[in-house]
Amino acid sequence: MTSEKCAHVTCVCTGICLLLLAAQGNLDDTVQTGGGAVQEEAPRVALTFDDGPDASCTPRLLDGLKERQIPATFFIQGKWIAGQEDLILRMHREGHLIGNHTFDHVRLTAVSEQEALMQVVKTSNDIYEITGEYPAYIRPPFGEWRESLNCHVEMIPVLWSLDSRDWVLQDADQITSRVLESVEDGDIILMHDIFDASVDAALAIADALTAEGYDFVTVDALIIE
Ligand SMILES: [Zn+2]
């Protein structure tokens, strides 16, 4: 399926986010508990799903997210859009963020500049045709963004900070344990909405982290340009 290597997020800056929030809290001093102590912001994570949409797995995931009122981010492949327009429109209407994952899941650094640009632009155009919005975020397959594309498209590459390795593990319990053991405030969690085990794990992770007081956000909330 995929062989996406582990990579670290380059444009997430949770530390600065937290510093800014803390400074804001001190200035207006409005968020207080009964005891007068400043209430801490809830930890936040973003669930992100690559490689779909999948006609079977993605609707089940959307059902589970809707039930829990949790937003997620979907980095979709252009080649799967045709025939799945209603599913993509549903993602958009239900508050999820839709990002670009190229048309054919190509390694953008391994093809010509023209091909790389086509892979990105065609996918963005096809998403725009459905949602009326051009995606602002791209997750380059294999975590490899081609810097020269910055001259042609205004998109923010988004990698991840926690790889669920769902595509290798293929077992909901193992995927869930792996994520819950290492998750931290500000994590961008990499998953794939093309496996049943990933859907089961994502919903179990959502329930467990909700019980721990986490808030779920789309990736744009965790990124500072
Ligand atoms: Zn992928």
Side-chain angles (χ1 to χ4, degrees), residues 41-94:
E41 295 285 335
R44 302 184 300 169
V45 291
L47 288 173
T48 68
F49 299 93
D50 290 8
D51 294 4
D54 177 87
S56 166
C57 294
T58 308
R60 195 161 71 82
L61 177 60
L62 289 173
D63 289 345
L65 294 172
K66 187 177 184 182
E67 194 179 312
R68 293 162 177 79
Q69 295 190 299
I70 285 175
T73 304
F74 291 87
F75 292 100
I76 67 179
Q77 290 190 67
K79 68 179 174 187
W80 300 136
I81 291 176
Q84 302 297 337
E85 291 86 353
D86 289 348
L87 198 51
I88 291 162
L89 194 56
R90 178 182 170 190
M91 284 176 188
H92 179 67
R93 286 181 172 162
E94 293 185 357

Side-chain angles (χ1 to χ4, degrees), residues 51-204:
D51 294 4
D54 177 87
S56 166
C57 294
T58 308
R60 195 161 71 82
L61 177 60
L62 289 173
D63 289 345
L65 294 172
K66 187 177 184 182
E67 194 179 312
R68 293 162 177 79
Q69 295 190 299
I70 285 175
T73 304
F74 291 87
F75 292 100
I76 67 179
Q77 290 190 67
K79 68 179 174 187
W80 300 136
I81 291 176
Q84 302 297 337
E85 291 86 353
D86 289 348
L87 198 51
I88 291 162
L89 194 56
R90 178 182 170 190
M91 284 176 188
H92 179 67
R93 286 181 172 162
E94 293 185 357
H96 304 295
L97 184 65
I98 298 175
N100 185 323
H101 197 47
T102 76
F103 197 85
D104 293 307
H105 208 274
V106 296
R107 193 180 293 272
L108 289 168
T109 53
V111 295
S112 70
E113 182 91 353
Q114 189 181 15
E115 171 68 12
L117 188 58
M118 186 280 288
Q119 288 280 332
V120 173
V121 170
K122 179 161 174 46
T123 303
S124 287
N125 286 345
D126 288 354
I127 292 169
Y128 174 83
E129 287 297 319
I130 298 167
T131 66
E133 286 180 17
Y134 288 103
Y137 299 89
I138 181 164
R139 174 165 283 154
F142 314 102
E144 292 185 15
W145 177 238
R146 186 176 185 130
E147 295 294 332
S148 60
L149 290 178
N150 290 331
C151 303
H152 306 289
V153 292
E154 281 191 40
M155 299 193 79
I156 301 166
V158 177
L159 301 188
W160 55 89
S161 58
L162 203 176
D163 183 355
S164 72
R165 293 187 64 75
D166 58 342
W167 54 279
V168 175
L169 296 171
Q170 297 283 336
D171 178 276
D173 289 342
Q174 288 184 45
I175 298 163
T176 304
S177 298
R178 177 182 165 84
V179 170
L180 296 181
E181 280 164 12
S182 56
V183 67
E184 293 179 347
D185 185 16
D187 266 336
I188 295 177
I189 302 170
L190 171 65
M191 303 190 80
H192 299 80
D193 58 323
I194 55 172
F195 306 116
D196 279 319
S198 301
V199 175
D200 293 336
L203 299 178

Side-chain angles (χ1 to χ4, degrees), residues 29-41:
D29 211 28
T30 52
V31 185
Q32 298 209 335
T33 64
V38 175
Q39 211 168 37
E40 286 184 19
E41 295 285 335

